[in-house]
Amino acid sequence: MTLNLKDPSLLKNKAYIDGAWVDADQGQTFSVINPATGDVISDVASVGVHETKRAIAAADKAMQTWKQVPAKTRSEVLERWYQLILDHQEDLAVIMTAEQGKPLFESRGEVLYGASFLKWFAEEGKRVYGDVLPSTADRRSIVIKQPVGVVAAITPWNFPNAMITRKVAPALAVGCAMVLKPAAETPLSALALVELAERAGVPAGLFSVLPTLDAPAVGGEMTSNPVVKKVTFTGSTGVGKLLMKQCADTVKRTSMELGGNAPVIIFDDADLEKAVAGALVSKYRNSGQTCICANRFLVQAGVYDAFVERFSAAVNQFQLGNGLDEASTHGPVITEKAATEIHAKVLAAVAEGAHVVTGGKVSNQGSHFYEPTVLTHVTQAMRLFKEEIFGPVAPIFKFDTEEEAIAMANDTEFGLASYVYTNDLGRIWRVSEGIEYGMVGVNETMISSEIIPFGGVKESGQGREGSKYGLDDYLETKYICMGGL
Ligand code: SIN
């Protein structure tokens, strides 16, 4: 399959290690598939343990110089990278839609969102401050901040660009180096990004990209190699727990952005039009494949029927199709297996009494397409209430009181994003403080940006990405005591 790119040299099929484009040592490759058509876009190098060791050693070497470079100079490199991404927005969007499936308008948006982290951390990286602590006559106590060291990053397929820049920008800004394993479904966006990093002047070795089909081998080396001081991961809670266990042996720092089970709580006093609009975008962005997608709608009894009616009517207007077709409002899910798993969750709910208002099956567009689905008559006892759906399925639960809504929202091991629609100021505070989530959107579901601390509590992870807090994840705090003064 050929992609219509203005700059075809952005489409890479090799790994990028220590500033060079290389094949896998043993010559292995894997195919990257367009989920909308099933076509092979490209065969890409599939690296293993040895290449990972080389990338880590190169990162360590490159970092020794990079951490001494003035923050202002590091910032200028990131600014150039940012600008190059903007200059190639359309090509990056086409590559992303081809390998990931999301509609072009969403890909264009993600490219800008991804670039925003480079701009933000280019600026924030210049503002890393230490501290002078209260002193005594003969001693001074000082705190300095230093880069954490070589960082290994493992990123997901649902945001093939922004989940990378959200990690690499703060890491490079403060003087760390990074080795990255992108998701096997979407390595092409990562390789295009590193091509632009090279053009921007990111030094050899500082940022290597390791596409692979053998995640356990590459991930195993990343989590066991003593040179790696930190592992940052975005993905499922199950894999996150495994990586944390693997990191324990060498006591690495970790940042984990894991699964979610986001509630959207809609009270009787909410502006229903705004609630429906927010609910639609939160649920169906990226065909329901984001960690902060609405997973459960909790709607108060007084507006339940009206909400279901308006929400379902809007869902019926969606245009499912190939993301490269500008008319498509929603694309496929990432794999046929994903579509099958989503359907199994819907069937299980239906077997337990759920009603399908719309959708509820694999689309006749093809085995990767799942129809945008709305379910009612769902209960807290159903699997659907507890599990992350990660697909375009909206179960709408009913509640009566504020206390009940808070208890329902908290009845999960997850705690990433949550949303509340109400016009009662007291309730806004009671609910925002009462629900156990890292992020709360009040009368708003589009809460992500480079300036906010993105992250979760409970089994949704640890650490924060983006914002001024996002630098902390890549910095060590060192205390220096000057005595005998
Ligand atoms: C995610 O799904 O993990 C990222 C979503 C976002 O950054 O908005």
Side-chain angles (χ1 to χ4, degrees):
M1 178 193 181
T2 48
L3 296 182
N4 194 6
L5 302 178
K6 292 186 199 99
D7 181 350
S9 65
L10 287 178
L11 194 62
K12 300 288 183 196
N13 61 4
K14 294 179 191 286
Y16 184 77
I17 299 176
D18 196 9
W21 293 99
V22 295
D23 289 317
D25 288 358
Q26 308 300 323
Q28 303 96 322
T29 59
F30 64 100
S31 298
V32 182
I33 308 289
N34 179 336
T37 60
D39 293 341
V40 174
I41 307 167
S42 178
D43 285 333
V44 172
S46 181
V47 304
V49 171
H50 288 108
E51 297 91 326
T52 309
K53 280 187 198 294
R54 278 211 314 277
I56 292 170
D60 192 32
K61 184 157 171 263
M63 201 197 131
Q64 302 316 317
T65 310
W66 183 247
K67 69 182 180 189
Q68 307 290 353
V69 166
K72 188 164 181 283
T73 311
R74 293 198 295 260
S75 164
E76 284 161 4
V77 174
L78 294 182
E79 286 272 2
R80 281 200 296 276
W81 192 6
Y82 162 75
Q83 192 53 52
L84 283 165
I85 293 175
L86 296 194
D87 294 347
H88 294 85
Q89 180 193 6
E90 192 60 19
D91 279 353
L92 294 172
V94 169
I95 292 171
M96 187 186 304
T97 291
E99 66 178 348
Q100 202 278 340
K102 66 179 71 178
L104 264 179
F105 72 90
E106 283 195 32
S107 295
R108 291 181 188 121
E110 187 188 331
V111 173
L112 295 185
Y113 177 42
S116 74
F117 292 105
L118 289 162
K119 176 84 175 153
W120 175 264
F121 284 110
E123 290 159 356
E124 284 297 299
K126 292 184 283 190
R127 301 185 188 110
V128 175
Y129 301 110
D131 240 335
V132 181
L133 306 181
S135 305
T136 57
D138 66 341
R139 64 162 63 188
R140 299 288 180 273
S141 300
I142 294 172
V143 170
I144 63 166
K145 298 286 175 92
Q146 292 182 304
V148 71
V150 172
V151 179
I154 302 177
T155 52
W157 49 259
N158 60 343
F159 287 86
N161 174 309
M163 296 305 98
I164 295 173
T165 54
R166 193 153 79 179
K167 297 178 189 305
V168 71
L172 266 51
V174 300
C176 297
M178 180 170 276
V179 292
L180 165 74
K181 187 200 87 57
E185 293 83 354
T186 56
L188 302 175
S189 294
L191 296 170
L193 270 179
V194 76
E195 162 68 17
L196 295 177
E198 187 183 65
R199 292 184 200 174
V202 172
L206 206 65
F207 181 41
S208 291
V209 177
L210 305 167
T212 186
L213 207 51
D214 193 351
V218 173
E221 182 58 30
M222 286 174 156
T223 50
S224 62
N225 191 313
V227 173
V228 174
K229 294 296 181 287
K230 178 190 170 92
V231 171
T232 171
F233 171 68
T234 297
S236 73
T237 295
V239 174
K241 286 180 183 176
L242 181 71
L243 293 170
M244 286 172 83
K245 283 183 194 144
Q246 291 178 193
C247 285
D249 275 347
T250 43
V251 194
K252 293 189 200 317
R253 279 180 59 176
T254 58
S255 290
M256 295 283 150
E257 202 266 271
L258 307 177
N261 185 358
V264 181
I265 310 172
I266 297 163
F267 286 96
D268 285 349
D269 62 39
D271 177 329
L272 204 55
E273 202 175 317
K274 281 198 184 128
V276 169
L280 287 165
V281 66
S282 170
K283 177 67 254 183
Y284 296 104
R285 176 166 81 122
N286 202 7
S287 292
Q289 303 170 108
T290 90
C291 304
I292 61 167
C293 267
N295 207 54
R296 298 170 291 160
F297 290 98
L298 312 181
V299 183
Q300 203 162 12
V303 289
Y304 186 89
D305 290 342
F307 177 82
V308 171
E309 193 187 320
R310 291 198 202 182
F311 183 80
S312 317
V315 170
N316 283 327
Q317 303 301 313
F318 289 172
Q319 201 62 49
L320 202 56
N322 186 334
L324 290 172
D325 177 351
E326 297 276 4
S328 303
T329 59
H330 294 80
V333 294
I334 190 71
T335 55
E336 188 175 336
K337 182 166 170 272
T340 308
E341 284 170 5
I342 293 163
H343 191 48
K345 286 176 189 164
V346 170
L347 287 182
V350 169
E352 291 174 274
H355 291 190
V356 176
V357 180
T358 188
K361 57 183 190 310
V362 174
S363 159
N364 56 16
Q365 302 247 2
S367 58
H368 286 61
F369 288 85
Y370 200 79
E371 289 189 354
T373 297
V374 178
L375 300 177
T376 57
H377 296 76
V378 282
T379 69
Q380 222 168 325
M382 291 180 184
R383 266 177 56 199
L384 214 62
F385 187 88
K386 304 269 182 192
E387 289 178 1
E388 189 173 30
I389 301 168
F390 231 66
V393 176
I396 308 180
F397 301 84
K398 196 183 278 184
F399 71 88
D400 290 307
T401 66
E402 185 180 306
E403 293 70 27
E404 193 186 350
I406 293 174
M408 286 170 85
N410 288 341
D411 185 13
T412 168
E413 72 267 26
F414 295 109
L416 190 59
S418 55
Y419 311 94
V420 186
Y421 278 83
T422 174
N423 280 320
D424 177 331
L425 189 55
R427 174 171 276 164
I428 287 175
W429 280 105
R430 285 191 302 276
V431 176
S432 298
E433 291 176 359
I435 54 181
E436 298 157 350
Y437 288 83
M439 298 177 281
V440 184
V442 177
N443 297 325
E444 180 58 76
T445 55
M446 293 308 283
I447 58 172
S448 300
S449 84
E450 77 281 17
I451 70 167
I452 63 103
F454 191 103
V457 298
K458 295 162 79 176
E459 293 191 19
S460 286
Q462 46 178 237
R464 292 294 179 269
E465 296 190 315
S467 79
K468 64 177 181 175
Y469 306 102
L471 281 184
D472 296 341
D473 278 28
Y474 297 90
L475 290 168
E476 283 291 3
T477 299
K478 184 181 279 180
Y479 156 55
I480 301 173
C481 175
M482 295 189 186
L485 299 178

